[in-house]
Amino acid sequence: MSTQEASTGVDSIAKISLHGNRPKPTLKNGAIGVFRYELMRSLTPLRILLWVGLLLFPVILVSFVQFSLIQGGARGEDFLGLTIVLFILLPEVITMLCMLLWATPIVNAELESQTWVYSVVRPKARWAMITGKYMVAVAWTASCTSLSTSLCVLVISMSGAWKVWITLSCLCWLSAICYGALFMLIGTLIQRRAMVIAFFYAIFVEFILATIPAVINQFTFSFRLWSILYNSIDIPKDFLDANFMIQDSSTVGNVAVILAASAFLLSVAIWRIQKSQFRWQSEV
Amino acid sequence: MITLHHTTLLYGTVIGINDFQIDLPVGAYALVGPNGAGKSTLIGLLTGAIKPTLGSVSVFGIDPFRDPSVLQRIGLCPASELLIHGVTSRQWLRLQLALSGWDSRKAMARADMILELVGLKDAVDRPIHTYSLGMRQRCKLAQALANDPDLLILDEPFNGLDPIGRHQMTELLKQWAESGKSLLLASHVLHEVERITNSFLLVYGGRLLAFGTAGELRTLLAGIPQEITIRTRSMDELASRLSRMPWLRSLQRDNLQNQLHIAVETPLELYQQLVRWTAEEGINIEQITGIDGDISSLFRLLVSKHRGEVMMTGVMS
């Protein structure tokens, strides 16, 4: 706003006028805009380092295990065990860690930087924010875990590696989709301490409740992911002596349940944000 | 343009907005009140961020909480500080435009145009966290202007601006108002809003104290108690005459400066009486000082009235 510009301000204001032809707010443009913006923000040295670290950690771990197995004259079953370890590491632990970082603070991060108000006062911006941030969380996490899976499978070089790679890669994307939606919902329901709540939720529900031999464990994503793993790879049912953790239903059925549940959780998160009232910080 | 019908907002048991009743046509308005008066809460209601506990809110005939589509016609520049790291103003504005429905390519060109208007042309690729407070304020203003709103709402836009920045902001807002678009400017810096608009909404304690132009507010004030100082050489005579008037609430003599400090219930009657006494009976009056003509004094008086403090300060001597 130089003095010259200020003196011709009315003209300038006329110049920026759209004469009422404002674009209609669309979820597509909004979500793509948020996706691009958040992805750009994720490309900081620290976050890239974290991404690489999470990617390489399973590879290094598997390499050591592989080395010790070969030294000890490993059998086929041992390599199967390595697949299980990879499953626990990638679609479970690392995916949940990434989602704790990306999906859970969805609202709180905006509140802390005092930028949530800009989304609140635009017609479809809340939807776009949730959707765009969810897409980034899934892309960031699944790209890390699926690439790590590829490297790990290369390192293991077991028989049937192709099938293991396909299954684990799909599971990485599926788990990113479902845990992303789940943690995002937690982040919208409990905005201030979402990470703590999500962490304990993951421990008690997805790790402990999922292993309880009762119907209730079928309501966890972990149960569905285990079932897909067992049904897709030729793992003997008594391999882990934990039949209650899996279900013989078709892989398609389990995938459908995961996708439907994710869509439901994401819808609830959007509904919750759309209906919530925003308090300016000075008034809270 | 803005209609509030018996609008009340409660934060639990605390009243944020208390029974607002107003119907504002298109134009520029200053929402004036001290911190905590309810200005931001009112803005929250107008932008659909908050739902009123009682009553209704409508902007351009639409309830912004129930139907957020009306927000497309509103640009808000909030009072809160912009605390973003590692993002340039161009990138951030592109996001805001995308959230308003702009596609990527058009958003880029539009962002550059708006940032040029607010004087950030040379800093579009600098991260916002390296900006001065004034530049961040302009950045916030840019996102409010970006979608060419019909109603621009600014909450304390002068916060953190240096004198030059304040002048430039004032000029831009004057031009906005002159362009025929609507403006609602919330501020506690009275003299700055006076330069932009002549229509005021005075709020305090969640209540609308008064609404109108400065002239209308002064007329309103003529009918409510005021404190007035009269400098005169006929102090004894004038004090004696005034003390017999039923509308006099208190009178204090200042013999050193030949002044009478009086409090009256109906200033208009005082002024009429003073004219008569000076014209017909030769009472000398050198100076009358009351409301000094700026909105700040009006506001102080209205707040005092609201608090029940008016007329309670004068002491007879």
Side-chain angles (χ1 to χ4, degrees):
Chain A
M1 260 190 286
S2 67
T3 311
Q4 189 187 354
E5 282 164 326
S7 66
T8 57
V10 179
D11 294 339
S12 302
I13 286 167
K15 201 172 85 178
I16 65 160
S17 174
L18 299 168
H19 307 291
N21 295 321
R22 297 179 200 93
K24 280 194 171 180
T26 62
L27 184 58
K28 188 192 109 192
N29 283 346
I32 290 173
V34 174
F35 180 78
R36 186 189 299 109
Y37 175 80
E38 291 294 333
L39 204 60
M40 175 270 299
R41 288 192 80 188
S42 74
L43 299 177
T44 60
L46 190 69
R47 295 216 168 183
I48 292 170
L49 200 67
L50 184 68
W51 189 85
V52 173
L54 288 171
L55 184 146
L56 291 181
F57 172 68
V59 182
I60 294 165
L61 189 75
V62 163
S63 301
F64 279 119
V65 175
Q66 162 89 348
F67 180 72
S68 57
L69 284 176
I70 291 170
Q71 292 288 313
R75 296 163 299 149
E77 278 185 4
D78 296 323
F79 288 106
L80 210 53
L82 216 49
T83 306
I84 303 290
V85 170
L86 271 183
F87 170 79
I88 293 170
L89 267 180
L90 289 161
E92 296 267 287
V93 176
I94 290 180
T95 298
M96 285 194 211
L97 277 176
C98 288
M99 287 307 171
L100 269 178
L101 180 75
W102 278 96
T104 321
I106 174 174
V107 178
N108 196 35
E110 295 287 325
L111 289 174
E112 281 184 358
S113 61
Q114 303 190 11
T115 47
W116 190 236
V117 60
Y118 302 100
S119 308
V120 168
V121 298
R122 290 188 163 83
K124 290 187 178 170
R126 300 188 208 197
W127 284 62
M129 287 297 276
I130 299 278
T131 314
K133 285 189 174 225
Y134 174 71
M135 291 193 310
V136 174
V138 170
W140 200 90
T141 303
S143 62
C144 173
T145 52
S146 57
L147 193 59
S148 186
T149 300
S150 307
L151 293 175
C152 287
V153 170
L154 277 176
V155 169
I156 296 172
S157 66
M158 59 192 281
S159 61
W162 176 252
K163 200 171 185 179
V164 170
W165 177 72
I166 290 277
T167 305
L168 283 179
S169 296
C170 290
L171 284 171
C172 283
W173 281 93
L174 271 177
S175 68
I177 287 168
C178 62
Y179 288 130
L182 176 65
F183 284 19
M184 202 153 265
L185 176 62
I186 293 172
T188 56
L189 290 177
I190 306 140
Q191 295 166 4
R192 297 284 178 190
R193 300 202 181 274
M195 281 178 105
V196 178
I197 302 291
F199 176 78
F200 284 109
Y201 181 91
I203 297 287
F204 287 110
V205 176
E206 292 298 330
F207 285 113
I208 296 176
L209 197 66
T211 59
I212 290 176
V215 176
I216 197 164
N217 71 354
Q218 294 187 22
F219 292 99
T220 65
F221 283 122
S222 188
F223 174 85
R224 299 287 163 186
L225 294 169
W226 274 108
S227 299
I228 294 170
L229 178 76
Y230 267 76
N231 292 328
S232 305
I233 298 175
D234 301 325
I235 299 176
K237 288 288 185 289
D238 57 350
F239 183 74
L240 274 184
D241 196 22
N243 285 343
F244 57 85
M245 284 178 64
I246 58 165
Q247 194 176 49
D248 279 335
S249 63
S250 70
T251 298
V252 174
N254 281 315
V255 170
V257 168
I258 285 174
L259 292 179
S262 302
F264 174 73
L265 294 177
L266 204 58
S267 304
V268 175
I270 290 170
W271 178 83
R272 161 83 176 98
I273 284 299
Q274 197 68 22
K275 291 293 170 194
S276 65
Q277 296 187 54
F278 175 79
R279 300 264 189 273
W280 265 254
Q281 274 204 337
S282 58
E283 295 166 343
V284 173
Chain B
M1 174 187 66
I2 294 174
T3 307
L4 287 107
H5 182 65
H6 294 297
T7 309
T8 296
L9 182 97
L10 296 171
Y11 293 115
T13 55
V14 178
I15 294 180
I17 289 290
N18 193 353
D19 198 28
F20 258 63
Q21 174 84 10
I22 202 158
D23 190 0
L24 300 178
V26 169
Y29 303 93
L31 184 62
V32 183
N35 290 331
K39 302 189 296 291
S40 296
T41 304
L42 184 61
I43 289 173
L45 287 167
L46 295 177
T47 52
I50 322 171
K51 189 170 72 169
T53 313
L54 294 169
S56 65
V57 176
S58 89
V59 182
F60 299 117
I62 297 169
D63 179 343
F65 187 82
R66 289 188 180 185
D67 183 1
S69 67
V70 73
L71 298 179
Q72 195 72 346
R73 299 178 66 186
I74 300 173
L76 171 68
C77 178
S80 56
E81 178 63 285
L82 194 55
L83 306 170
I84 312 175
H85 278 257
V87 177
T88 68
S89 55
R90 178 188 269 158
Q91 289 165 336
W92 187 65
L93 205 55
R94 275 182 74 188
L95 170 72
Q96 301 309 320
L97 284 162
L99 290 174
S100 294
W102 290 69
D103 71 41
S104 175
R105 194 171 41 81
K106 288 179 182 168
M108 177 74 108
R110 181 74 178 171
D112 287 348
M113 183 191 283
I114 301 292
L115 287 167
E116 186 180 346
L117 176 76
V118 298
L120 288 176
K121 186 184 176 185
D122 298 329
V124 291
D125 290 320
R126 258 177 62 192
I128 292 174
H129 72 265
T130 65
Y131 281 8
S132 67
L133 198 54
M135 289 169 85
R136 287 203 291 274
Q137 202 74 335
R138 290 187 218 177
C139 196
K140 279 160 48 183
L141 178 65
Q143 65 77 32
L145 294 172
N147 205 34
D148 187 30
D150 293 327
L151 167 63
L152 182 63
I153 300 177
L154 300 107
D155 196 357
E156 303 288 359
F158 300 104
N159 275 2
L161 292 181
D162 58 23
I164 296 172
R166 282 167 186 258
H167 170 73
Q168 290 169 341
M169 179 72 84
T170 303
E171 288 301 306
L172 186 76
L173 295 181
K174 274 166 76 177
Q175 288 146 10
W176 179 268
E178 285 165 14
S179 72
K181 294 189 172 241
S182 294
L183 175 71
L184 184 65
L185 177 61
S187 178
H188 63 272
V189 187
L190 296 160
H191 62 274
E192 268 150 352
V193 297
E194 272 188 293
R195 278 187 241 143
I196 296 164
T197 177
N198 192 33
S199 297
F200 303 93
L201 289 96
L202 305 186
V203 292
Y204 179 77
R207 272 189 174 276
L208 182 64
L209 293 180
F211 163 58
T213 63
E216 286 168 342
L217 292 177
R218 283 188 198 102
T219 306
L220 172 75
L221 276 170
I224 63 173
Q226 280 182 30
E227 289 174 357
I228 293 162
T229 301
I230 304 171
R231 188 190 292 171
T232 174
R233 282 182 307 224
S234 320
M235 218 158 54
D236 292 338
E237 175 68 18
L238 189 58
S240 167
R241 285 168 182 264
L242 283 171
S243 64
R244 290 196 290 272
M245 293 297 125
W247 33 259
L248 186 84
R249 296 290 300 272
S250 70
L251 187 150
Q252 188 178 11
R253 293 176 60 134
D254 182 348
N255 292 327
L256 285 175
Q257 298 191 41
N258 285 338
Q259 284 183 344
L260 288 173
H261 301 290
I262 61 170
V264 291
E265 277 182 15
T266 46
L268 202 59
E269 287 191 53
L270 166 75
Y271 297 134
Q272 286 166 348
Q273 194 61 262
L274 288 178
V275 169
R276 271 198 294 276
W277 288 338
T278 51
E280 296 168 10
E281 298 176 38
I283 297 286
N284 165 268
I285 291 173
E286 292 179 346
Q287 189 182 51
I288 300 174
T289 315
I291 294 301
D292 60 10
D294 69 13
I295 196 72
S296 170
S297 305
L298 300 184
F299 183 71
R300 277 199 298 274
L301 193 65
L302 285 166
V303 169
S304 299
K305 179 174 179 271
H306 177 73
R307 287 173 171 160
E309 292 169 1
V310 170
M311 301 298 118
M312 305 303 283
T313 53
V315 180
M316 295 276 277
S317 64

